[in-house]
Every structure is written in structure tokens, then in C-alpha cells.
Amino acid sequence: MELCVRSSTLFFNLSRQHNPKFNLRNSLSLQFNLEVPSFSRQIQRPAFRQSSAKFAPSASPSSSVAVEAEKKDRLPAELGITETREPNSRLRLSVEVPPAVCQDCYKRVLNEITKRAKVPGFRPGKNVPEHVLVGFVGRKNVRKATVESILERTLPHALSSVTGNALRDSVQIATKFSDLEEIYASLNSLRYDILVDLAPEVKWVQENGYKNLKVVVEIDREIDAQTASEQELRRRHKSLGVLKIVTDRGLQVGDVAVIDISATKIDKNEGEVQNIPAAETKGFHFDTEDGDKLLPGFLDSIIGIRQGETKSFPLVFPESWKQENLRGVHAQFTVECKELFYRDLPELDDSFAEKLLPGSTTLQQVKESLLQTFQEVEKTAREQATDNAILDQLCKMVEIEIPQSLFEEQGRQLYGAKLLEVQANMRLNDQQLASLTSPRAVNEYLETQKENITKMIKQNLAVGDIFIRENLEFSTEELVKEVESSIAEFKRHKQEYDEERIRDQVQDILEGAKVLEWLREHAEVQYVTK
């Protein structure tokens, strides 16, 4: 069996195509530099690789052209190149183009103009005196064309030292074109700066520290298979019952109450009462069996309340509350009970098996089937929680200077996937699409998600480094099978796709899966229930 071992060859691309025609696909592919179908196949684990946009897996046409250009197009004089390292894996190349190279480019431009220009009094292609040709075309146009020719010829030579190490779409000429024209006009030579992002180096805080990982994995008690299956059975049991009005008592656990809730902040230093809109609701159907999912102490505070009665009580939002602005807030709640019901449930026996789970004949069979289903759910959840904990740990173990171009690329990939998800859930009009794909919207996303994007990139690079360090492999058959399966999904949904990009992404996913499998085998994992 042939084995594939990944080796990343980086490349640069100096141009991006811009299409003014607007639609969701064009907008995403332009702004995020991504082949983004409206349907994307979700390959099993790991999630962190889904939108990986690292480096090119093989030499690109642009890098090959650059190398060939350097071999064939020998310059009449050597360039002067000074390299200066800048933060975030960026390199500045200061290029000095000697007069001999500039003069040679100038002659080439004149020769090209001679071939194409129709100068009055001269046959096409015949020699035209320089002053006549320049006067006919315009000195400024000739100068502009010469500067462009100089850049086109010298860029591959200037970048030769970073070919194979530069990130895609990161190369940019830092000097303004107008300044280049002025420099050439006054000195008959050229100086310009190039900025290029290099492949970031993965530095481990402790060398080979990933080989002895100690990971604590927090498991939500709700994913416990036994507990979850019992809750599901209870939910199905409740669906067989009917609600009846309570007339002679107050609220008990097991009842359903229709309540109005309001809340205000308790602040001793301020006399003004502040409402808490997020805690206010009317006509809320409160199932007391789900009381533990609400604010701690809420259920205990309203036990015994009768229909038409109102209760007021203080509570404190816990520090783990999902809304950050309410964490630790002292609040005064007011609850009015509008209606009160109890459930009239049938006693469970084998006669209800078919209703509880179609195809079942006994209650025991229902319980066993539900338990088996939730055991699979628990296993998947545990594995995902373990992977997430390992990735979080890896992120803390590496120091990486992340290039801006790589950050923006990863961010745009994530934003593009998010927009496609929004588009799949709701039809957006052209105005909404234009707003969501505007530079401002994209930049806001990159800013607000900076921490998450940075974390994801560090995880990607750490995993890729481990794959190489440990000489991990995956079979060609695995790769081919997954690629074919992915392509089949695109075809079935009549979506466009880029086979090379699909192959890259599948390869990333297989790499990540192999690394996580290796890390799980070598890590010391402790599970705690939260």
C-alpha cells in the first residue's frame, strides 16, 4: 500500500483577479480568496481543520514561472538586495536596480512600441528615431511602461531568496508607483521595497512537550448516556400525557406554569431602578422538571405559588452566566402565575412501547435502544471534548509570529463559511449581501474574532509540525476515497468545485485526524464532570 507523507511547499502569487459582477459566490470567492460552494461536505473530525487555508501543497504556476524567468532572463547587471526582518514573520526586501538594467528595459519598451505603434510617415515595424517615437507615444507613457517593465523583470530575481518560503498572496510592493516614476526620471535607476510574509516558525515552549501531554477534559453531565437516555424516555412519556388545570394547590415539581417574569437590578449606591430586559418575559411556559436549567434558586423561589398569585424575590446571576453583562448582578425578580397545570400521565408498560419508539414491542427494548443511541452520542462527545482540550493545550505550548496575510486568509475563510451558513438558512437580498460582504463587515469580523482566529492558526500550525516531526502517514486510498466522496457530494448538489482545493482540504483533515489520534494515544487524559 502506497503511503502519502505531506510536505508543504509555499509559494507566492502577485496578482488577484477582480470581478465587478456581484453575487454571493463571486463576492465570497473574491473577498475571501476561496472556492466556496453553498454546500460543503462535513468530513468527520477534526473541526479545527474545516476551513484550513495554510500554504500551497505543491509548486504553483506563478512560482514556476518566477523560477524559469530568472533562469532564462539574465539581467545585464546584478541587483542590490537588502533583507530586513520585521515583526509577524514579515520580510522587507529593499531592491536597488542599477542603470544598466533600467536602460535595457527602456530599450525593450521602445522595441515593443515600435512593433505596435503606427507612427505617421513610417512603415509598421520599421525603425523610428527615438525622439520621434517618444514624442509620438508621450514621454510620460514611455516612462510608466519602462517602470512596469523593470518591475516585471526584476521581481522574480528579487524574490528568488524567498521562493518556497513566501505565503500565497502576501507579496506586495511597498513603494508607491508615482514615487517609482520620479526616482527613475531623476536617477535613471530604480529603488523599491517589497514586503512579503514568510512561513511562520513553530517554536515549542518546551521541546517535544507535546509527547507528554496531561489534559483535563471537562464533560457535561448531560451527555452521560444513562442520564440522557432516562431524560429522553421521560420526555417521550410526557408527550403521551395531557395537561390538566390545578385548582386546589400551589406549584409543585412536575407541574407546568404559565408565568410573567420581570427583574430589576439591586444597587444600593443608586436610587434609580434599572430593569433587566433580558430577564423579562410574558406567557412563559415553565416546565418545573427543567428548573435546573434556569437561574439557580428560581424554581425554589416560586414553589407553592398559586394561579393569580405574584411573588417577588432576590437572586444573583452566577459568574458562569452566558450573558457576560449579567454575571454577578444582584436582581429582584417578580413572577406572576397566570395558569397552573399538572400532567396526567399513563403508567408505562409494554403496551406503550410502539408509541415510545416505533418498532419496539417491550418497554425494556425501548430503554435498551435509547441507551445504545446515547452511548454513541456520549462517545462522540467525549472524543470531541478530548480533541478540543488537546488543541487548547497545544495552543499554549507554542510561540508563533503569525503573518497578517495568514491571519486575514484564515479569517476570511471562516467568515465565508459563516455567510454561506446564513445564506443556507435564510434567503438574503442583494442589499443584505452587499452589507455583509462589505470591507467594513469583514474587518469588523476579523477584529472581533481576532483571538479565535489566532488560536485556530496556532493549532493548525502546531498540528502540522507534529505531523512532520513524528513522520505520520495516511494511505493514498484514504485520500482518494475521501476526495471522490466529497466530489460526489458537490455533483449531487450541482455545485461547482475545485478538485485541487478539495484534495488539499481533505489532506489537511486526514493529517489532523492522524495527529489527534497519535496525541490521544500518548496523552494522559483525566475526565471530570462539570
Side-chain angles (χ1 to χ4, degrees):
M1 180 173 65
E2 183 184 353
L3 296 176
C4 290
V5 182
R6 178 72 177 274
S7 61
S8 296
T9 303
L10 313 181
F11 73 100
F12 55 81
N13 184 357
L14 295 176
S15 63
R16 289 191 181 184
Q17 298 299 319
H18 293 278
N19 183 354
K21 185 176 180 180
F22 176 81
N23 59 46
L24 177 66
R25 184 174 305 286
N26 286 345
S27 179
L28 294 183
S29 63
L30 295 179
Q31 296 194 39
F32 311 120
N33 191 30
L34 173 66
E35 174 76 20
V36 200
S38 58
F39 174 87
S40 60
R41 180 170 180 270
Q42 296 299 313
I43 302 177
Q44 290 295 324
R45 282 202 327 239
F48 74 97
R49 306 297 284 182
Q50 289 175 0
S51 57
S52 174
K54 300 193 294 182
F55 320 118
S58 60
S60 71
S62 60
S63 63
S64 299
V65 169
V67 174
E68 288 302 315
E70 183 185 5
K71 289 180 179 179
K72 295 179 180 179
D73 186 12
R74 299 296 181 183
L75 299 178
E78 292 291 329
L79 300 179
I81 302 174
T82 304
E83 297 185 357
T84 305
R85 290 277 179 171
E86 296 192 353
N88 299 324
S89 298
R90 172 163 283 190
L91 181 67
R92 179 180 292 270
L93 300 172
S94 298
V95 184
E96 293 276 353
V97 184
V101 176
C102 295
Q103 183 62 24
D104 190 56
C105 291
Y106 174 73
K107 290 179 180 179
R108 289 191 177 198
V109 168
L110 292 185
N111 289 337
E112 190 64 29
I113 293 174
T114 300
K115 294 177 183 178
R116 299 186 180 187
K118 296 180 180 179
V119 182
F122 295 89
R123 290 183 181 182
K126 294 296 182 179
N127 289 332
V128 181
E130 180 180 331
H131 69 280
V132 174
L133 190 62
V134 173
F136 175 75
V137 177
R139 187 170 299 278
K140 187 173 182 180
N141 290 330
V142 173
R143 183 167 62 242
K144 181 178 180 181
T146 301
V147 172
E148 290 176 349
S149 176
I150 295 170
L151 293 176
E152 183 179 358
R153 289 188 66 191
T154 60
L155 270 172
H157 295 270
L159 293 167
S160 60
S161 64
V162 296
T163 299
N165 196 37
L167 301 190
R168 120 175 48 186
D169 293 333
S170 72
V171 177
Q172 57 178 293
I173 297 175
T175 311
K176 293 181 180 179
F177 193 83
S178 57
D179 293 340
L180 295 176
E181 289 185 281
E182 291 181 8
I183 294 171
Y184 173 71
S186 60
L187 301 176
N188 198 31
S189 62
L190 203 63
R191 295 193 305 269
Y192 63 92
D193 283 1
I194 306 171
L195 293 176
V196 56
D197 289 340
L198 304 179
E201 180 184 358
V202 178
K203 296 180 180 179
W204 294 90
V205 176
Q206 180 182 351
E207 189 66 21
N208 295 325
Y210 63 86
K211 293 186 176 182
N212 301 297
L213 279 180
K214 294 183 179 180
V215 181
V216 177
V217 182
E218 290 189 343
I219 301 295
D220 195 323
R221 66 177 66 253
E222 290 186 358
I223 73 167
D224 176 73
Q226 187 65 46
T227 302
S229 63
E230 291 173 356
Q231 290 177 345
E232 178 61 18
L233 180 61
R234 176 62 178 171
R235 185 189 69 78
R236 298 186 183 202
H237 183 199
K238 288 193 293 186
S239 69
L240 300 178
V242 294
L243 291 177
K244 294 185 177 181
I245 299 175
V246 174
T247 58
D248 58 349
R249 61 172 176 79
L251 179 70
Q252 297 178 356
V253 175
D255 293 342
V256 175
V258 180
I259 56 179
D260 290 348
I261 306 173
S262 61
T264 58
K265 288 184 179 180
I266 301 175
D267 194 335
K268 298 179 180 180
N269 298 325
E270 297 183 14
E272 183 179 347
V273 176
Q274 297 183 31
N275 292 329
I276 306 177
E280 295 182 355
T281 183
K282 291 186 178 296
F284 177 60
H285 286 64
F286 177 50
D287 187 338
T288 53
E289 291 189 358
D290 296 330
D292 58 339
K293 297 179 181 179
L294 294 180
L295 189 64
F298 183 87
L299 175 59
D300 292 340
S301 299
I302 63 172
I303 286 293
I305 192 172
R306 292 174 174 266
Q307 181 176 337
E309 186 180 353
T310 299
K311 281 192 174 184
S312 184
F313 48 88
L315 289 176
V316 179
F317 287 91
E319 292 299 331
S320 59
W321 195 251
K322 58 184 177 181
Q323 293 169 279
E324 294 183 10
N325 63 319
L326 292 179
R327 292 174 184 173
V329 170
H330 292 250
Q332 185 71 24
F333 281 83
T334 301
V335 175
E336 181 182 357
C337 182
K338 296 291 188 180
E339 296 178 90
L340 190 57
F341 302 94
Y342 70 93
R343 284 193 175 89
D344 187 8
L345 300 177
E347 185 174 349
L348 284 184
D349 54 35
D350 292 346
S351 64
F352 287 100
E354 174 67 24
K355 292 183 178 180
L356 292 170
L357 185 65
S360 300
T361 57
T362 66
L363 185 60
Q364 183 61 29
Q365 189 178 2
V366 172
K367 293 179 179 179
E368 290 175 355
S369 296
L370 289 178
L371 180 59
Q372 182 178 357
T373 298
F374 282 98
Q375 283 174 339
E376 294 175 359
V377 172
E378 179 183 354
K379 179 182 178 183
T380 301
R382 277 179 171 269
E383 289 177 349
Q384 188 63 65
T386 303
D387 289 349
N388 291 339
I390 288 174
L391 291 171
D392 287 341
Q393 191 79 347
L394 289 182
C395 196
K396 299 173 183 177
M397 299 176 69
V398 293
E399 295 178 348
I400 305 173
E401 289 191 10
I402 298 175
Q404 183 64 22
S405 60
L406 183 58
F407 171 82
E408 292 180 358
E409 174 75 2
Q410 182 73 74
R412 288 189 173 92
Q413 294 268 2
L414 294 174
Y415 190 62
K418 178 183 176 183
L419 284 187
L420 288 175
E421 184 179 346
V422 171
Q423 175 73 348
N425 294 330
M426 57 183 292
R427 297 301 301 175
L428 303 175
N429 58 40
D430 288 350
Q431 184 176 359
Q432 290 172 319
L433 286 175
S435 174
L436 289 173
T437 56
S438 67
R440 178 179 178 182
V442 176
N443 290 333
E444 285 180 354
Y445 176 83
L446 294 178
E447 183 61 32
T448 57
Q449 296 297 315
K450 184 175 182 178
E451 184 176 347
N452 290 334
I453 296 170
T454 300
K455 181 179 178 181
M456 182 174 292
I457 293 173
K458 291 177 71 174
Q459 291 173 349
N460 286 349
L461 294 174
V463 165
D465 193 54
I466 294 173
F467 187 85
I468 295 172
R469 281 170 173 252
E470 297 303 322
N471 297 313
L472 300 180
E473 303 169 336
F474 55 84
S475 69
T476 302
E477 287 85 347
E478 287 181 275
L479 179 62
V480 172
K481 181 180 178 180
E482 288 289 357
V483 169
E484 290 177 348
S485 182
S486 296
I487 291 175
E489 291 276 14
F490 280 92
K491 289 181 176 179
R492 184 160 49 250
H493 290 80
K494 298 180 180 179
Q495 297 293 331
E496 298 177 4
Y497 63 89
D498 182 330
E499 184 170 346
E500 184 178 352
R501 184 177 290 278
I502 290 176
R503 186 181 181 87
D504 293 345
Q505 292 178 340
V506 168
Q507 192 158 302
D508 282 341
I509 292 170
L510 291 175
E511 282 186 17
K514 290 295 181 182
V515 171
L516 284 174
E517 180 183 353
W518 187 92
L519 288 171
R520 285 196 300 271
E521 291 176 355
H522 293 78
E524 181 182 322
V525 182
Q526 177 186 355
Y527 293 97
V528 296
T529 303
K530 61 177 180 179

